């Protein structure tokens, strides 16, 4: 039997990869304009990094990580998300000594052992951005404005921005306790998992998909009513700045995030186009994270976009392999040699040129040129070789011109 890919891990094939390249290219351009630089970290890290940052009682750490021991018995983990590795690198390379504000973005594969389904895979890709060093709500608004702008730029409008504040270490414990007390009185209605985790991670219950949990938490206390003065003020400013930048949003006080490091502003971009995989991007503030990983006490905020979900939402308009500029059809070995040299010359000059390598008939060669949707074709036989001239056929306009074979580059340049 032939070998197949690992379940939940996908190939991106020609025809689809063009959409990926488009989304990645636009991210680089938009994030670059907002002052972000790319950072690339390894896809494997010490397991401890994720346990300490994401949190021992989260879904990711409890059950979704690809963790293994290497040959020296070190516990390693394929990164399930990008923020912790970026913070690890930031601390290790002391990036804060270069500039008090670090704006970084990354893109690449992440790994989570989840049940594969539409929009949910075991290897998936994120494009993410992080700002380290600024507590001011202006940066929250700026990061959200950038995310909003990126979606406009790539032509996806069917997403809605939801924001919330999760408070800080000063006010969260009070809210946590209020929520635990509320849940305690409704324990029988909760699913098994929430009955188990309502004391260790009560916020997660608010975001459980089980219908019993949904119903039982309808009147749960709101995190926004438990914010301390400073968090309240911070959140109010984020909202007024978003208004000023004309970034549409709604407040969803039930939105909690699945990672422990989030404080204050959290957000999701949601869509109704992807069934239950409704979040296309998510993020928030993580003011204590850098310090908890052994770095300086610096605030941070960031987001990650799920690339597969973006691709699913993007129609196939971009998804077309690029068509050749010229197909060189050759009759006979000598003509094929000449075509080969001309083709390479064209490619060196930036033109997409194609030919046949299998000694096919002229008819078969022209069929392939049509199938590839080549813009121009040229047929080279004995007489063309002798005269050095041939017909350049414009396949779109159904016209043709006599041209010199040795000036193909100039002739095609003139028709660009
Ligand atoms: P979900 O609630 O869908 O499980 P999440 O809260 O676990 O998402 P994050 O950790 O915030 O997701 O990751 C940010 C984004 O990465 C998500 O909004 C989603 O678009 C994407 N994402 C997360 N997990 C997967 C996955 N297994 N397959 C594909 N995309 C994913
Ligand atoms: Mg998840």
């Amino acid at each position: 039997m032939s070998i197949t890919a690992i379940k939940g891990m996908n190939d991106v094939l020609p025809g689809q990869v063009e959409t990926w390249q488009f989304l990645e290219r636009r991210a680089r351009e938009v994030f670059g304009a907002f002052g972000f630089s790319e950072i690339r970290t390894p896809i494997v890290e010490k397991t401890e990094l994720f346990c300490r940052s994401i949190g021992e009682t989260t879904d990711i750490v409890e059950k979704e990580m690809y963790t293994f021991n290497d040959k020296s018995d070190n516990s390693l983990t394929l990164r399930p998300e990008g923020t912790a590795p970026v913070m690890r690198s930031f601390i290790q390379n002391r990036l804060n000594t270069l500039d008090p504000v670090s704006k970084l973005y990354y893109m690449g594969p992440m790994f989570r052992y989840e049940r594969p389904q539409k929009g949910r895979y075991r290897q998936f890709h994120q494009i993410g951005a992080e700002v380290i060093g600024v507590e001011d709500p202006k940066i929250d608004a700026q990061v959200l404005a950038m995310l909003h702008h990126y979606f406009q730029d790539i032509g996806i409008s069917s997403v809605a921005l939801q924001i919330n504040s999760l408070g800080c270490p000063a006010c969260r414990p009070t809210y946590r306790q209020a929520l635990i007390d509320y849940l305690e009185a409704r324990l029988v209605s909760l699913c098994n998992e929430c009955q188990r985790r309502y004391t260790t991670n009560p916020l997660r219950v608010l975001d459980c998909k089980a219908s019993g949990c949904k119903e039982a938490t309808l009147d749960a206390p709101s995190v926004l009513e438990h914010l301390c003065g400073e968090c309240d003020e911070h959140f109010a400013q984020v909202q007024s700045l978003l208004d000023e930048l004309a970034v549409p949003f709604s407040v969803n006080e039930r939105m909690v995030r699945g990672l422990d490091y989030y404080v204050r502003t959290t957000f999701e971009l949601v869509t109704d186009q992807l069934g239950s995989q409704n979040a296309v991007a998510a993020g928030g503030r993580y003011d204590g994270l850098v310090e908890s990983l052994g770095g300086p006490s610096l605030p941070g905020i960031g987001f990650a976009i799920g690339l597969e979900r973006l691709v699913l939402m993007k129609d196939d308009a971009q998804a077309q392999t690029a068509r050749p500029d010229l197909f060189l059809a050759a009759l006979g070995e000598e003509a094929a040699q000449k075509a080969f040299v001309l083709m390479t010359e064209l490619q060196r000059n930036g033109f997409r040129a194609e030919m046949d390598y299998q000694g096919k008939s002229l008819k078969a060669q022209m069929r392939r040129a049509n199938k590839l949707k080549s813009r121009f074709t040229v047929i080279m036989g004995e007489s063309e070789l002798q005269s050095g001239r041939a017909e350049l056929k414009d396949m779109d306009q159904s016209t043709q011109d006599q041209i010199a074979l040795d000036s193909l580059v100039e002739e095609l340049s003139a028709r660009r």
Side-chain angles (χ1 to χ4, degrees), residues 214-411:
K214 275 191 179 160
E215 233 166 82
T217 54
L218 277 180
D219 299 315
S222 159
V223 63
L224 296 179
E225 280 157 19
H226 290 78
L227 296 183
C228 62
E230 281 177 38
C231 286
D232 200 39
E233 174 60 20
H234 193 274
F235 194 46
Q237 287 197 32
V238 172
Q239 294 180 61
S240 89
L241 288 164
L242 287 176
D243 284 337
E244 203 153 330
L245 297 177
V247 175
F249 68 92
S250 62
V251 174
N252 175 1
E253 59 190 10
R254 294 175 57 90
M255 187 189 61
V256 300
R257 305 281 312 119
L259 300 84
D260 279 0
Y261 52 61
Y262 285 122
V263 295
R264 291 195 166 172
T265 317
T266 49
F267 50 90
E268 280 186 359
L269 268 186
V270 296
T271 173
D272 52 15
Q273 288 183 16
L274 296 176
S276 56
Q277 274 57 256
N278 66 342
V280 245
R285 260 198 182 274
Y286 44 80
D287 292 346
L289 180 59
V290 178
E291 190 173 16
S292 80
L293 289 172
S297 168
L298 289 172
I301 181 169
F303 63 76
I305 304 168
L307 210 37
E308 280 79 1
R309 294 186 193 177
L310 267 196
V311 171
L312 283 170
M313 290 180 72
K314 194 84 197 118
D315 60 36
D316 293 331
Q318 270 85 22
Q320 268 180 14
T321 36
R323 55 192 297 214
D325 296 307
L326 177 69
F327 190 97
L328 298 115
L331 285 165
E333 187 48 37
E334 203 186 328
Q337 290 278 350
K338 175 79 177 166
F340 180 66
V341 173
L342 288 176
M343 176 183 74
T344 309
E345 185 61 15
L346 283 163
Q347 291 163 338
R348 285 180 176 145
N349 281 278
F351 291 97
R352 290 170 190 274
E354 264 299 335
M355 67 177 284
D356 162 63
Y357 301 94
Q358 297 163 308
K360 292 249 168 80
S361 70
L362 181 62
K363 207 169 143 197
Q365 292 186 51
M366 292 313 286
R367 220 182 294 129
R368 177 145 176 262
N370 273 322
K371 197 161 166 225
L372 295 174
K373 302 196 176 67
S374 185
R375 172 75 206 280
F376 295 98
T377 55
V378 76
I379 298 175
M380 297 165 55
E382 222 167 282
S383 66
E384 283 82 8
L385 277 191
Q386 258 164 27
S387 66
R389 301 187 66 79
E391 297 280 349
L392 181 69
K393 266 198 198 136
D394 183 327
M395 305 299 276
D396 286 356
Q397 325 242 329
S398 305
T399 55
Q400 46 188 309
D401 289 309
Q402 271 277 334
I403 52 114
L405 280 174
D406 287 335
S407 56
L408 265 176
V409 169
E410 291 75 31
E411 296 288 351

Side-chain angles (χ1 to χ4, degrees), residues 60 64 80-81 112 114 119-126 204 209 257-259 262 268-269 276-283 304-309:
I60 294 179
E64 296 175 358
E81 57 105 45
R112 297 186 195 175
E114 302 197 69
R120 191 176 295 286
Y121 311 100
R122 291 182 172 173
Q123 173 175 315
F124 63 100
H125 296 75
Q126 288 185 336
R204 248 353 227 171
K209 311 232 153 80
R257 305 281 312 119
L259 300 84
Y262 285 122
E268 280 186 359
L269 268 186
S276 56
Q277 274 57 256
N278 66 342
V280 245
I305 304 168
L307 210 37
E308 280 79 1
R309 294 186 193 177

Side-chain angles (χ1 to χ4, degrees), residues 8-46:
M9 305 202 179
N10 302 310
D11 303 309
V12 182
L13 303 175
Q16 307 163 334
V17 83
E18 289 74 14
T19 304
W20 288 68
Q21 289 170 338
F22 166 76
L23 296 170
E24 290 163 356
R25 189 166 61 241
R26 293 313 304 160
R28 290 181 197 287
E29 274 166 34
V30 169
F31 296 3
F34 279 77
F36 287 70
S37 307
E38 185 175 359
I39 182 166
R40 301 186 187 191
T41 63
I43 58 166
V44 194
E45 298 272 357
K46 293 178 183 162

